[in-house]
Coordinates of all heavy atoms in Angstrom, one line a residue:
F82 N -13.4 8.6 25.9 CA -13.2 9.4 24.7 C -13.4 10.9 25.1 O -14.5 11.2 25.6 CB -14.1 9.0 23.6 CG -14.0 7.6 23.2 CD1 -14.7 6.6 23.8 CD2 -13.2 7.3 22.1 CE1 -14.6 5.3 23.3 CE2 -13.0 6.0 21.7 CZ -13.7 5.0 22.3
T84 N -13.1 14.5 23.2 CA -12.8 15.1 21.9 C -13.8 16.2 21.6 O -14.7 16.5 22.5 CB -12.8 14.0 20.8 OG1 -12.4 14.6 19.6 CG2 -14.1 13.3 20.7
D85 N -13.8 16.7 20.4 CA -14.8 17.7 20.0 C -16.0 17.1 19.3 O -17.1 17.6 19.5 CB -14.2 18.8 19.1 CG -13.6 18.2 17.9 OD1 -13.4 17.0 17.8 OD2 -13.3 19.0 16.9
S86 N -15.8 16.1 18.5 CA -16.9 15.4 17.8 C -16.7 13.9 17.9 O -15.6 13.4 17.5 CB -16.9 15.9 16.4 OG -18.0 15.3 15.7
F87 N -17.7 13.2 18.3 CA -17.6 11.7 18.4 C -18.6 11.1 17.5 O -19.8 11.1 17.8 CB -17.8 11.3 19.8 CG -17.5 9.8 20.1 CD1 -16.2 9.3 19.9 CD2 -18.5 8.9 20.4 CE1 -15.9 8.0 20.1 CE2 -18.2 7.6 20.6 CZ -17.0 7.1 20.5
E88 N -18.2 10.6 16.3 CA -19.1 10.0 15.3 C -18.4 8.7 14.7 O -18.0 8.7 13.6 CB -19.4 11.0 14.2 CG -20.0 12.3 14.7 CD -20.3 13.3 13.6 OE1 -20.2 12.8 12.4 OE2 -20.7 14.4 13.8
P89 N -18.3 7.7 15.5 CA -17.8 6.4 14.9 C -18.6 5.8 13.8 O -19.9 6.0 13.8 CB -17.7 5.5 16.2 CG -18.7 6.0 17.1 CD -18.7 7.5 16.9
D90 N -18.0 5.1 12.9 CA -18.8 4.5 11.9 C -19.6 3.3 12.4 O -19.5 2.9 13.5 CB -17.9 4.1 10.7 CG -16.8 3.2 11.1 OD1 -16.9 2.4 12.1 OD2 -15.7 3.2 10.4
E91 N -20.3 2.6 11.5 CA -21.1 1.5 11.9 C -20.4 0.4 12.5 O -20.8 -0.2 13.5 CB -22.0 1.1 10.7 CG -23.0 0.0 11.0 CD -23.9 -0.3 9.8 OE1 -23.7 0.3 8.7 OE2 -24.8 -1.2 10.0
E93 N -17.4 0.3 13.9 CA -16.9 0.7 15.2 C -17.9 0.9 16.3 O -17.7 0.5 17.4 CB -16.1 2.0 15.0 CG -15.0 2.2 16.1 CD -14.0 3.2 15.6 OE1 -14.3 4.4 15.4 OE2 -12.8 2.8 15.5
S94 N -19.1 1.4 15.9 CA -20.2 1.5 16.8 C -20.7 0.2 17.3 O -21.0 0.0 18.5 CB -21.4 2.3 16.1 OG -21.0 3.6 15.7
L97 N -18.2 -1.0 19.9 CA -18.3 -0.2 21.2 C -19.6 -0.7 21.9 O -19.5 -0.8 23.2 CB -18.4 1.3 20.9 CG -17.1 2.0 20.5 CD1 -17.4 3.4 19.9 CD2 -16.2 2.1 21.7
A109 N -18.0 8.9 26.7 CA -17.7 9.8 25.6 C -18.1 11.2 25.9 O -19.2 11.5 26.3 CB -18.5 9.3 24.4
A111 N -17.9 15.0 24.4 CA -17.7 15.7 23.1 C -18.7 16.8 23.0 O -19.8 16.8 23.7 CB -17.8 14.7 21.9
Q112 N -18.5 17.7 22.1 CA -19.4 18.8 21.8 C -20.5 18.4 20.9 O -21.5 19.0 20.8 CB -18.7 20.0 21.3 CG -17.8 20.7 22.3 CD -16.9 21.8 21.6 OE1 -16.6 21.7 20.5 NE2 -16.6 22.8 22.4
D113 N -20.2 17.3 20.1 CA -21.1 16.8 19.1 C -21.1 15.3 19.0 O -20.0 14.7 19.0 CB -20.8 17.5 17.8 CG -21.8 17.2 16.7 OD1 -23.0 17.1 17.0 OD2 -21.4 16.9 15.5
F114 N -22.2 14.7 18.8 CA -22.3 13.3 18.6 C -23.1 13.0 17.3 O -23.9 13.8 16.9 CB -23.1 12.6 19.8 CG -22.4 12.8 21.1 CD1 -22.7 13.8 22.0 CD2 -21.3 11.9 21.5 CE1 -22.1 14.0 23.2 CE2 -20.7 12.1 22.7 CZ -21.1 13.1 23.6
G115 N -22.9 11.9 16.7 CA -23.5 11.5 15.5 C -23.2 10.2 15.0 O -22.4 9.4 15.6
G116 N -23.8 9.8 13.9 CA -23.6 8.5 13.3 C -24.4 7.4 13.9 O -25.3 7.6 14.7
P117 N -24.1 6.2 13.5 CA -24.8 5.0 14.0 C -24.8 4.9 15.5 O -25.7 4.4 16.1 CB -24.1 3.8 13.3 CG -23.4 4.4 12.1 CD -23.1 5.8 12.5
F118 N -23.7 5.3 16.1 CA -23.6 5.3 17.6 C -24.7 6.1 18.3 O -25.4 5.6 19.2 CB -22.2 5.8 18.0 CG -21.9 5.6 19.5 CD1 -21.6 4.3 20.0 CD2 -21.9 6.6 20.3 CE1 -21.3 4.1 21.3 CE2 -21.6 6.5 21.7 CZ -21.4 5.2 22.2
S119 N -25.0 7.3 17.8 CA -26.0 8.1 18.4 C -27.4 7.5 18.1 O -28.3 7.5 19.0 CB -25.9 9.5 17.8 OG -24.7 10.2 18.2
D131 N -31.0 13.4 14.5 CA -29.6 12.8 14.5 C -29.4 11.8 15.6 O -28.3 11.6 16.0 CB -28.6 13.9 14.6 CG -28.6 14.8 13.4 OD1 -28.9 14.3 12.3 OD2 -28.4 16.1 13.5
L133 N -29.3 10.5 19.5 CA -28.9 11.1 20.7 C -27.7 12.1 20.4 O -26.6 11.7 20.2 CB -28.5 10.1 21.8 CG -28.6 10.5 23.3 CD1 -28.5 9.3 24.2 CD2 -27.6 11.5 23.6
D134 N -28.0 13.4 20.4 CA -27.0 14.4 20.0 C -27.2 15.6 20.8 O -28.1 15.7 21.6 CB -27.3 14.6 18.5 CG -26.1 15.4 17.8 OD1 -25.1 15.6 18.5 OD2 -26.3 15.8 16.6
T135 N -26.4 16.6 20.5 CA -26.5 17.9 21.1 C -27.5 18.8 20.3 O -27.5 18.7 19.1 CB -25.2 18.6 21.2 OG1 -24.5 18.6 19.9 CG2 -24.3 17.9 22.2
F247 N -7.0 8.4 19.7 CA -7.3 8.4 18.3 C -8.3 9.5 17.9 O -8.0 10.3 16.9 CB -7.8 7.1 17.8 CG -8.0 7.0 16.3 CD1 -7.0 6.8 15.5 CD2 -9.3 7.0 15.8 CE1 -7.2 6.7 14.1 CE2 -9.5 7.0 14.5 CZ -8.5 6.8 13.6
Y248 N -9.4 9.6 18.6 CA -10.4 10.6 18.3 C -10.0 11.9 19.0 O -10.6 12.3 20.0 CB -11.8 10.2 18.8 CG -12.5 9.2 17.9 CD1 -12.4 7.8 18.1 CD2 -13.1 9.7 16.8 CE1 -13.1 7.0 17.3 CE2 -13.8 8.8 15.9 CZ -13.7 7.4 16.2 OH -14.4 6.6 15.3

Side-chain angles (χ1 to χ4, degrees):
F82 299 88
T84 183
D85 60 342
S86 179
F87 188 66
E88 301 180 11
D90 59 24
E91 185 174 359
E93 203 160 63
S94 298
L97 284 169
Q112 292 172 328
D113 183 40
F114 299 94
F118 187 74
S119 294
D131 297 325
L133 204 166
D134 194 6
T135 51
F247 182 78
Y248 280 100

